[in-house]
Amino acid sequence: MSFKINRLLAALAAAGLLAACSPQAMNASAREPAADTACALDGMVLLDFPGPKAQIQYAEGKADYYCDLMELFTVMLAPEHKRQIAGVFVQDMGKTSWDKPSGHWIAAKDALYVVGSKKQGSMGPTFGAFSDAAQADAFAKAEGGKVLPYSQITAAMLDTGHAAGDMRH
């Protein structure tokens, strides 16, 4: 009898371990970049520039940081992006300063984005991210642009009309 109970307990423990390793069980959280944290694409120090920052937390525990949201979407919309992602986060510009953003990380897929505003980030034009629709609308009214959910951001929106290498990489 105890052999059957031990097998049952072992099977339940194995199932628990498998569930803990599944993507649904990953509870990634945003991490505040350090003073010397550099952008994964261009090596620029994040805290030296205005505008919202972004980060991708990978399943293996590594994080990539981006000094503006255009760079994040360049990576996220790339068809060759195959690494398993545990979480993607952006800064909520309704709760932090544009000039020196700090903290206030929200899930990228839950954010509303202002696309096409006149606000500048580290590499020129960038998106603003907001958790609150009224704040996103107010920002768009003041700075220009259109409010869109994550699912409606496209690669074409990343082309700001500059010559290759001029403002974007």
Side-chain angles (χ1 to χ4, degrees), residues 58-114:
Y58 292 101
E60 77 270 7
K62 183 181 180 302
D64 280 341
Y65 291 88
Y66 301 92
C67 52
D68 79 24
L69 302 188
M70 301 280 274
E71 292 178 326
L72 171 71
F73 281 100
T74 297
V75 172
M76 294 301 296
L77 296 173
E80 64 273 6
H81 192 263
K82 301 291 185 205
R83 291 172 66 190
Q84 188 177 11
I85 294 173
V88 180
F89 304 94
V90 295
Q91 287 179 304
D92 185 345
M93 299 316 291
K95 295 181 179 166
T96 190
S97 160
W98 189 277
D99 292 331
K100 291 221 173 263
S102 178
H104 301 285
W105 295 96
I106 56 176
K109 290 187 178 183
D110 295 337
L112 295 169
Y113 296 89
V114 178

Side-chain angles (χ1 to χ4, degrees), residues 25-41:
M26 288 182 207
N27 290 324
S29 59
R31 298 181 214 145
E32 196 63 24
D36 63 346
T37 300
C39 177
L41 289 183

